[in-house]
Amino acid sequence: MTQPSQRLSDAGSRYAAARESLRERARPHLGIDPRALGAFRIAAALVILSDLLIYRLPAVRTFYTDDGVLPRATLAEVFPLLERASLYAISGSARVQTGLLAVTAVAAACLLVGYRTRAAAGLSVLLLASLYARNPYVLNGGNTVLVAFLFLSLFLPLDARWSLGAGRRSVRGEPNDADGDAGAGGGDAGDRRICTIGTAVTLLTLVSIYAANAVSKYRSGAWMSGTAVPRIFQLGEFTVGLGPLVSEYTAALTAINWLWIALLSVSPLLVVATGRRRTGIALAFVSAHLGMAATMRLAVFPYVMSAVLLLFLPPDAWDRAEAVASRVSESTGLAGTDRSHRSDGGTDARTPSPTPRTRRGIRAGAAALLVGFFLALVWWQAAGVGLVDLPAQESTGQLSEVSWSFFAPNPPDASGWYVVAGTLESGDTIDLRDGGAVSYDRPPDAAETYPSTLWHQFGFRMKSAGESQYRPVAAYACERSDRDLESVAVVHVEQPVDSDGPVGEPDAEERVRVAC
């Protein structure tokens, strides 16, 4: 008679074999090459550092202090939950805000080189989420996508390649590709891709974003008539770089409209396809996003999406990339040893590993968290495209544009800009942007009316705000002006557009007037 312990052992063996068989079948579709993880880590860190140093740090006083356009009192009035949750809301001084930005940059630098990678990623998630909560008006979908995928990266071995932490795994006698991740499972000798619940959820999350966006566009009259992209390129405040030039070619923009819908429609092939077909689809998405960066003012959004798409490149793509890099290194005399695997483990080599039971508990908890996160994300996106209903208080809001909608279901049908008019003590009124006469006519370049990308994001999100939100903006203009002003008025101007250009006359609406 078979003993109970033996039966349990046999059942466990069959379960393990079935799980491994399932993993082998899923690996070509839901696995990630370790080199892709390393490349994503580096790209994400560079995006964070660029966002902080190019956009946030130069404007820290304007957008993140009590002397700026959104003091903490206004944030607490409009978004009380964000004010309570943000670490950046602990102080309104520029010195504290700059210090927090410096800590965020250090965490990103550690992520870049792969030092204490999981801790660096976790700290980056916490600090970036707090930064974005401090002023939610200076965001777009790229910022929220970045935080979401940084959170998911906590369940991935980002230091498996090209990192200072790769050798520590080896010294501890742990696999470089799956340690500490939900549903551990490294690649075998024939396929080095890591396949875990973490990799599956990460890849499926991006596919769900694209798929939801495709559904949203199917439900849009503008997109399905081919007029959405031509209309978008008539929004002068968005078009920069090559954008104004491209906006003149309506037929080409109409073709791009249909090509983008077609590409979004085949986004499930990012996980269904394998080999060169998968590489081609991923590179097509990267090309589309880089095209957006070359023509439109979208901040980090195109670069965040491109960084995430690196995770989809299969091993043969990385083999070719490494072969090219090796030839370039040899021809330039830069060839050297691969330092991605260090021989010293530092103090980590002496860190005791958790017991098998503890590790199983951690993995089970991580798997449950990942699945819950993914299901909530899918539900939220389904609500965003109208497939499920949100509670009434959640279905509207001033920040509904801070999403992953990609100008869907319908792009804006009006170009907007601001005029900040100052009344001098003499009674004359001037445009505080250039000191000239006030005019509400459409400017030659609407993008130039915004001093920076963050100002553009702020103005775009604020267009439906109330007087209490505009009052600090007017007060900020009073304080920053070198003229003797009696009062300042903030005026929002809109002009309808269609795929051929502006329609009708601009409509100016004064949002607030403040005595200086």
Side-chain angles (χ1 to χ4, degrees):
M1 181 178 292
T2 305
Q3 297 296 321
S5 58
Q6 183 178 349
R7 289 198 297 270
L8 288 175
S9 177
D10 292 343
S13 299
R14 288 193 297 271
Y15 169 74
R19 183 179 61 181
E20 187 59 31
S21 175
L22 179 61
R23 179 178 290 122
E24 290 305 311
R25 293 183 181 183
R27 180 171 283 117
H29 306 284
L30 299 176
I32 301 177
D33 190 285
R35 293 163 292 186
L37 290 168
F40 166 74
R41 187 197 76 246
I42 294 169
L46 290 175
V47 169
I48 296 171
L49 289 170
S50 299
D51 186 34
L52 295 176
L53 300 179
I54 296 175
Y55 298 121
R56 312 288 168 178
L57 185 60
V60 63
R61 186 178 296 275
T62 301
F63 294 107
Y64 296 105
T65 70
D66 286 346
D67 295 327
V69 295
L70 188 69
R72 288 176 297 163
T74 304
L75 178 68
E77 175 189 345
V78 184
F79 305 108
L81 180 61
L82 296 184
E83 193 274 337
R84 291 194 297 268
S86 175
L87 293 175
Y88 280 78
I90 61 175
S91 171
S93 74
R95 180 175 299 179
V96 172
Q97 301 304 305
T98 302
L100 287 170
L101 285 176
V103 175
T104 310
V106 169
C110 291
L111 188 65
L112 177 67
V113 300
Y115 177 74
R116 307 288 184 181
T117 308
R118 187 165 280 121
L123 187 59
S124 295
V125 171
L126 175 63
L127 291 174
L128 284 177
S130 293
L131 174 65
Y132 298 156
R134 173 59 183 86
N135 191 337
Y137 289 115
V138 286
L139 302 179
N140 66 15
N143 302 110
T144 53
V145 169
L146 177 60
V147 170
F149 279 91
L150 280 176
F151 170 76
L152 291 174
S153 75
L154 297 175
F155 304 91
L156 302 173
L158 293 186
D159 57 357
R161 288 295 299 269
W162 305 321
S163 73
L164 298 179
R168 295 191 177 96
R169 293 175 177 270
S170 299
V171 170
R172 292 198 305 264
E174 297 166 352
N176 277 340
D177 51 10
D179 172 57
D181 302 291
D188 57 23
D191 190 339
R192 289 169 292 179
R193 276 176 287 202
I194 301 161
C195 186
T196 67
I197 294 177
T199 64
V201 168
T202 300
L203 298 182
L204 290 173
T205 293
L206 186 66
V207 172
S208 73
I209 292 173
Y210 285 138
N213 193 249
V215 172
S216 183
K217 285 178 169 54
Y218 295 151
R219 299 162 67 91
S220 166
W223 282 97
M224 297 311 293
S225 66
T227 61
V229 172
R231 185 201 298 177
I232 290 169
F233 274 84
Q234 296 303 325
L235 302 173
E237 65 272 28
F238 278 97
T239 54
V240 294
L242 298 176
L245 176 64
V246 174
S247 66
E248 300 177 4
Y249 298 92
T250 304
L253 293 174
T254 301
I256 291 172
N257 183 106
W258 293 113
L259 287 173
W260 181 233
I261 292 176
L263 191 57
L264 290 172
S265 301
V266 301
S267 58
L269 291 179
L270 283 169
V271 293
V272 174
T274 59
R276 293 185 178 181
R277 183 178 300 177
R278 179 170 180 167
T279 300
I281 296 170
L283 292 181
F285 272 105
V286 171
S287 299
H289 287 302
L290 294 182
M292 297 176 191
T295 55
M296 304 189 72
R297 178 182 264 169
L298 299 174
V300 299
F301 169 75
Y303 307 107
V304 171
M305 303 304 289
S306 298
V308 178
L309 285 161
L310 294 174
L311 297 171
F312 289 84
L313 295 180
D316 57 347
W318 293 106
D319 291 340
R320 289 194 293 270
E322 285 192 332
V324 171
S326 178
R327 288 195 295 269
V328 171
S329 297
E330 291 174 359
S331 64
T332 57
L334 297 177
T337 58
D338 181 3
R339 299 185 179 182
S340 64
H341 299 284
R342 292 161 47 108
S343 60
D344 63 290
T347 56
D348 283 354
R350 296 186 296 272
T351 302
S353 298
T355 64
R357 179 175 295 181
T358 302
R359 291 173 67 86
R360 286 195 296 270
I362 293 173
R363 287 173 179 167
L369 179 60
L370 279 168
V371 172
F373 175 85
F374 181 69
L375 292 177
L377 195 65
V378 170
W379 179 84
W380 177 66
Q381 292 184 97
V385 299
L387 298 180
V388 299
D389 293 329
L390 282 172
Q393 66 270 22
E394 299 292 341
S395 60
T396 60
Q398 296 166 333
L399 296 178
S400 59
E401 296 290 342
V402 184
S403 64
W404 304 339
S405 59
F406 310 165
F407 292 110
N410 291 303
D413 57 5
S415 179
W417 62 93
Y418 288 86
V419 174
V420 182
T423 302
L424 302 175
E425 293 182 351
S426 63
D428 296 331
T429 302
I430 62 172
D431 188 330
L432 292 184
R433 185 174 65 89
D434 56 12
V438 173
S439 173
Y440 301 117
D441 294 334
R442 181 183 175 92
D445 186 353
E448 289 187 354
T449 64
Y450 297 94
S452 67
T453 296
L454 290 190
W455 270 112
H456 172 244
Q457 290 179 341
F458 184 79
F460 184 71
R461 308 299 173 202
M462 283 276 290
K463 61 185 180 182
S464 301
E467 181 178 329
S468 62
Q469 288 110 289
Y470 276 105
R471 191 170 296 279
V473 180
Y476 177 81
C478 283
E479 295 171 2
R480 300 286 290 182
S481 177
D482 57 358
R483 309 293 292 270
D484 293 327
L485 299 175
E486 184 178 275
S487 65
V488 164
V490 178
V491 181
H492 183 248
V493 189
E494 279 194 346
Q495 184 175 20
V497 299
D498 60 19
S499 57
D500 296 319
V503 178
E505 297 297 322
D507 178 30
E509 180 183 354
E510 182 177 300
R511 296 300 175 86
V512 71
R513 181 177 292 272
V514 171
C516 295

